[in-house]
Amino acid sequence: MSADPAPALSADNPLASSSELPFRLPPFGDITLEHCREALLVGMADQRREVQALVGSAEPPTFENTIVALERSGALLDRAWSVFGNLSSSVATPRLREIEREIAPLAAAHDDALRLDPALFARVDAVHAGSATAGLDAESLRLVERYHLDFLLAGARLDDAGRARLSELNQELSELSTSFGQNLQLATEAAAVGVADAAELAGLSEEEVAAARRAAADRGLDGYLLTLVLPTGQPLLAKLRNRELRRRVFEASMARAAGGEHDNRPVAERIARVRAERARLLGFGTHADLVLADQTAATTEAVDRMLASMVPASVANAEAEAEILREAASRDGVELAAWDWAYYSERVRAERYAVDTAALRPYFELDRVLVDGVFHAAELLYGYRFAPRPDLAGYHPDVRVWQVTGAGGDDVGLYLGDFFAREGKRGGAWMSSFVRQSALLGTRPVVVNNLNVSRAPEGRPTLLTLDEVNTLFHEFGHALHGLSSAVTFPRFSGTSVPRDFVEFPSQVNEMWAFWPEVLRHYARHVETDEPLPSSVVGAIDAAQLWGEGFGTLEYLAATLLDQAWHRITPETGIGDPGEFEARALREAGVASDLVPPRYRTTYFQHIFAGGYSAGYYSYIWSEVLDADTVEWFKENGGLRRENGDAFRERLLAVGGSVDPLAAFRAVRGRDADPGPLLRRRGLARA
């Protein structure tokens, strides 16, 4: 690897050095997209020069001069990516997408220049194999192991021709993934359903109607616009009384990026084929085998066993629910279709369990859920306190900032919240970091949660659905993973754990949403301040298993579709991607006209433009750990500081610095029992 000529960074580029704001929060108000582009380009060149100096050293390879030096390299590039990567998800513009398309292949080539450099791998290999590890502590030893494995899985042992071909494939994948994500965002915006007459919106709340009116006005349109979220199932389908409009919304969701200007079908197929060729080149049978080599599941066989054990009961449960819904729909003279499922499911929920989810929204005002629910639970469990910092600006006016302190008043980090849907923001909900905790670098965490909640009309409170409450608690679980980090090396910070483990802490955090001590603290009527009636809480609890058949089947369908795409070989005949999808679902035993996959191929961002390729199974794999941990909390008294401290110190704080399943055992005292998950999802007898 040769060093590039030194490009100069503009003297006025705010990313040139670490931010002087508290906790190194980026100075968003001073940073332009051109600053980001420049810093990314210069940052890649800087890191290549740093690594070239490391490789050219006459000193024998040691842990400090090789592994730690790699950890310290690329500081400018890290700062630039932390800003640009978050902006690309949250405030995308045409210029940002243009830069993203330019940078993606360059970034892939940069990564390959490092990981495929024989001289650099020789030094890493020498540290791994030699006496340089003598006397290292456990985290340092794990860092050596992780770097060595990273290089091996990246193709470090390939010959010159293999390395050249791998670089070509990686660059193509980066371009394809960028295209897939951009196509999806634009196709989703284009698929929004226009409505001329407000009467068609019967069933929606006043706030939701106002949001639809505002969405239309934002695009210069008359009437109303129903925008779409990422999954197949659109929340509005549970409320809209107009069946024809339900059909239009459902079909718009299902057809996204499946034709026209932003067609993701050929993009998805090419991504799968390139991944298959790359896996073969690296010595694996399929891309799924390659991915599983670095996950806690370890093998595709282990994933297959888990998924196969759940399919029959899930299909049976979904069909039992369908029979009940058919009867409910028949009372309206309706033959049940997929776009009717959510609507009649809500009706059955209300009739059988006296739970009207729409009527619950006044008890779930956004700020109260956040401060008196999410933050309150974190204080009770971990001693964390959250103080608003209105003096610190986010990357968009919607973003708010809180300073986090520990029980003793010690500084922990910053938490940013970006909760509202808007143009240029991708669908879904997620957590990411602007600054990762590291004792080596002297940094404390700065994390952000993104949701896509509809903004209330001016002067009105924003009310959440029950699902949105759970989502907020879930994503905050990821934030806690980042905020609680207490590692030396940034490679292990916070959520830097295997993909099939990362959802575990966030799913555990969902339990507090309806923990009595937390619920009564935040679930109060926005106008009367009356608490959510205990009878309603009991009904919600009784209704927990209702809908699990649908929920589990739609998830399994998406998971098995992911596996199908990533079990192909370079020789596999695919044909039309839509037909490939249908065939994969049939062969897996999860094809259903009434229960489509949570994500279809053309809008499956997790696997084609995210980090979950061959790994969407990880949600339910992590849920085995989550459900068993919930039992541990209950067995030990629930929401107690002693429990929170144990979970934080033994699991959240260690990030990826220890084996994840060893961290689980340090909390639970044994390996996970799948029984609690099977009972939770109605897949086994209680």
Side-chain angles (χ1 to χ4, degrees):
M1 179 179 62
S2 60
D4 295 334
L9 194 68
S10 302
D12 64 347
N13 193 317
L15 294 167
S17 59
S18 294
S19 169
E20 296 181 0
L21 291 174
F23 302 94
R24 305 190 191 183
L25 177 74
F28 296 109
D30 299 330
I31 300 172
T32 67
L33 289 177
E34 303 311 317
H35 287 142
C36 290
R37 175 184 178 276
E38 179 188 50
L40 289 167
L41 294 171
V42 176
M44 286 187 278
D46 280 358
Q47 188 176 31
R48 286 195 292 273
R49 284 195 299 275
E50 292 166 352
V51 173
Q52 183 62 31
L54 180 164
V55 169
S57 171
E59 296 293 323
T62 68
F63 176 71
E64 288 292 333
N65 71 20
T66 300
I67 305 299
V68 174
L70 281 172
E71 279 289 274
R72 291 185 180 277
S73 71
L76 172 60
L77 184 59
D78 284 346
R79 285 195 298 274
W81 270 126
S82 74
V83 174
F84 186 76
N86 278 285
L87 296 182
S88 67
S89 296
S90 303
V91 286
T93 64
R95 176 55 179 153
L96 187 147
R97 295 186 185 106
E98 188 177 88
I99 295 172
E100 192 176 29
R101 288 192 296 271
E102 174 193 4
I103 294 295
L106 299 178
H110 171 74
D111 289 342
D112 285 340
L114 302 183
R115 294 294 170 85
L116 297 178
D117 181 357
L120 178 58
F121 177 64
R123 290 185 69 91
V124 172
D125 197 36
V127 174
H128 180 260
S131 60
T133 57
L136 294 182
D137 61 26
E139 184 178 346
S140 299
L141 285 170
R142 183 165 174 82
L143 187 66
V144 175
E145 293 290 340
R146 292 304 311 171
Y147 262 105
H148 193 255
L149 181 60
D150 288 346
F151 274 85
L152 290 178
L153 293 179
R157 293 204 190 279
L158 293 174
D159 59 18
D160 289 345
R163 287 194 295 271
R165 180 56 182 155
L166 183 62
S167 293
E168 292 173 356
L169 296 173
N170 286 340
Q171 289 187 58
E172 184 178 0
L173 278 174
S174 71
E175 295 170 359
L176 288 165
S177 295
T178 299
S179 295
F180 188 97
Q182 292 188 356
N183 279 348
L184 176 54
Q185 187 173 62
L186 294 169
T188 299
E189 292 174 1
V193 176
V195 178
D197 186 353
E200 293 185 65
L201 302 178
L204 301 189
S205 67
E206 180 184 344
E207 293 84 1
E208 288 164 332
V209 172
R213 184 188 302 113
R214 187 167 56 251
D218 287 345
R219 298 195 193 180
L221 303 174
D222 295 328
Y224 306 84
L225 198 65
L226 301 180
T227 57
L228 304 182
V229 298
L230 195 57
T232 298
Q234 301 297 309
L236 296 180
L237 293 176
K239 306 173 185 180
L240 287 168
R241 295 174 193 156
N242 185 305
R243 188 172 189 240
E244 174 60 17
L245 184 54
R246 291 202 302 269
R247 182 192 63 77
R248 289 175 59 204
V249 170
F250 176 82
E251 291 181 349
S253 177
M254 289 274 282
R256 279 175 292 166
E261 183 182 359
H262 306 298
D263 190 353
N264 265 339
R265 290 175 299 177
V267 183
E269 178 182 352
R270 183 58 188 162
I271 288 173
R273 288 201 177 280
V274 174
R275 285 173 174 166
E277 182 182 346
R278 183 177 64 174
R280 175 76 58 82
L281 186 62
L282 292 170
F284 293 89
T286 68
H287 179 72
D289 293 311
L290 170 61
V291 169
L292 268 293
D294 194 24
Q295 301 297 315
T296 65
T299 66
T300 53
E301 290 77 14
V303 173
D304 288 344
R305 283 194 299 272
M306 178 192 66
L307 298 178
S309 71
M310 295 181 175
V311 166
S314 300
V315 171
N317 288 0
E319 182 54 37
E321 290 173 5
E323 283 303 310
I324 295 169
L325 298 183
R326 288 189 184 99
E327 194 279 327
S330 70
R331 298 200 299 267
D332 290 343
V334 167
E335 183 178 346
L336 186 71
W339 50 86
D340 301 313
W341 187 293
Y343 181 77
Y344 286 104
S345 182
E346 282 303 300
R347 179 182 290 185
V348 169
R349 192 190 308 274
E351 291 173 352
R352 288 194 165 199
Y353 304 103
V355 176
D356 180 353
T357 57
L360 296 177
R361 294 180 71 240
Y363 293 93
F364 301 140
E365 190 272 323
L366 171 60
D367 281 1
R368 188 145 201 175
V369 174
L370 179 67
V371 175
D372 293 343
V374 173
F375 289 172
H376 179 62
E379 181 174 356
L380 293 176
L381 269 177
Y382 308 112
Y384 291 151
R385 292 181 173 86
F386 297 80
R389 289 295 305 265
D391 57 311
L392 298 178
Y395 50 84
H396 185 276
D398 286 348
V399 179
R400 291 181 282 168
V401 183
W402 288 264
Q403 183 165 336
V404 188
T405 54
D410 52 306
D411 286 334
V412 173
L414 294 179
Y415 172 76
L416 281 64
D418 184 359
F419 303 119
F420 296 116
R422 58 176 174 267
E423 289 284 309
K425 186 178 186 181
R426 71 174 172 88
W430 64 95
M431 168 267 182
S432 55
S433 298
F434 285 105
V435 182
R436 292 182 296 167
Q437 179 275 331
S438 166
L440 177 72
L441 304 180
T443 52
R444 296 185 184 276
V446 177
V447 303
V448 59
N449 274 159
N450 270 269
L451 272 66
N452 269 279
V453 175
S454 295
R455 188 194 308 274
E458 189 69 31
R460 300 290 298 274
T462 296
L463 306 179
L464 304 183
T465 65
L466 189 58
D467 284 344
E468 287 167 342
V469 171
N470 283 324
T471 297
L472 182 52
F473 274 87
H474 176 98
E475 295 304 331
F476 192 75
H478 288 305
L480 287 169
H481 206 172
L483 289 168
S484 300
S485 181
V487 300
T488 299
F489 303 109
R491 171 70 171 75
F492 296 139
S493 184
T495 57
S496 299
V497 296
R499 181 66 68 185
D500 61 4
F501 190 81
V502 74
E503 297 297 334
F504 159 49
S506 55
Q507 290 172 177
V508 167
N509 204 62
E510 290 182 42
M511 73 179 290
W512 308 119
F514 272 77
W515 195 264
E517 188 175 353
V518 178
L519 183 66
R520 64 174 173 258
H521 200 254
Y522 75 85
R524 307 185 74 90
H525 198 281
V526 70
E527 294 176 357
T528 67
D529 203 42
E530 289 296 315
L532 188 66
S534 58
S535 60
V536 175
V537 177
I540 292 172
D541 186 60
Q544 279 188 335
L545 280 180
W546 174 250
E548 278 296 332
F550 177 93
T552 305
L553 183 56
E554 69 157 1
Y555 167 78
L556 288 175
T559 301
L560 290 160
L561 179 59
D562 171 29
Q563 291 297 312
W565 275 114
H566 293 113
R567 301 286 181 93
I568 70 167
T569 69
E571 297 79 28
T572 299
I574 290 177
D576 177 76
E579 294 175 1
F580 176 88
E581 174 183 300
R583 185 168 62 251
L585 297 176
R586 285 196 307 272
E587 291 175 355
V590 292
S592 170
D593 291 336
L594 291 175
V595 186
R598 185 174 298 174
Y599 301 100
R600 296 189 67 197
T601 297
T602 57
Y603 50 90
F604 208 161
Q605 177 157 311
H606 288 73
I607 68 170
F608 291 117
Y612 282 83
S613 62
Y616 196 64
Y617 77 91
S618 61
Y619 284 93
I620 207 158
W621 187 271
S622 294
E623 197 178 347
V624 173
L625 307 178
D626 149 42
D628 201 20
T629 302
V630 168
E631 295 297 307
W632 174 82
F633 271 105
K634 291 178 178 178
E635 291 166 5
N636 289 278
L639 195 71
R640 299 169 60 238
R641 272 295 299 281
E642 293 86 347
N643 293 340
D645 286 345
F647 191 67
R648 176 176 53 81
E649 293 167 7
R650 299 173 195 172
L651 194 139
L652 296 179
V654 301
S657 67
V658 302
D659 175 74
L661 295 183
F664 173 84
R665 287 190 291 270
V667 174
R668 194 65 175 104
R670 56 166 173 75
D671 289 329
D673 176 5
L677 170 64
L678 297 177
R679 292 189 292 273
R680 174 193 287 181
R681 286 187 170 260
L683 302 177
R685 293 174 183 247

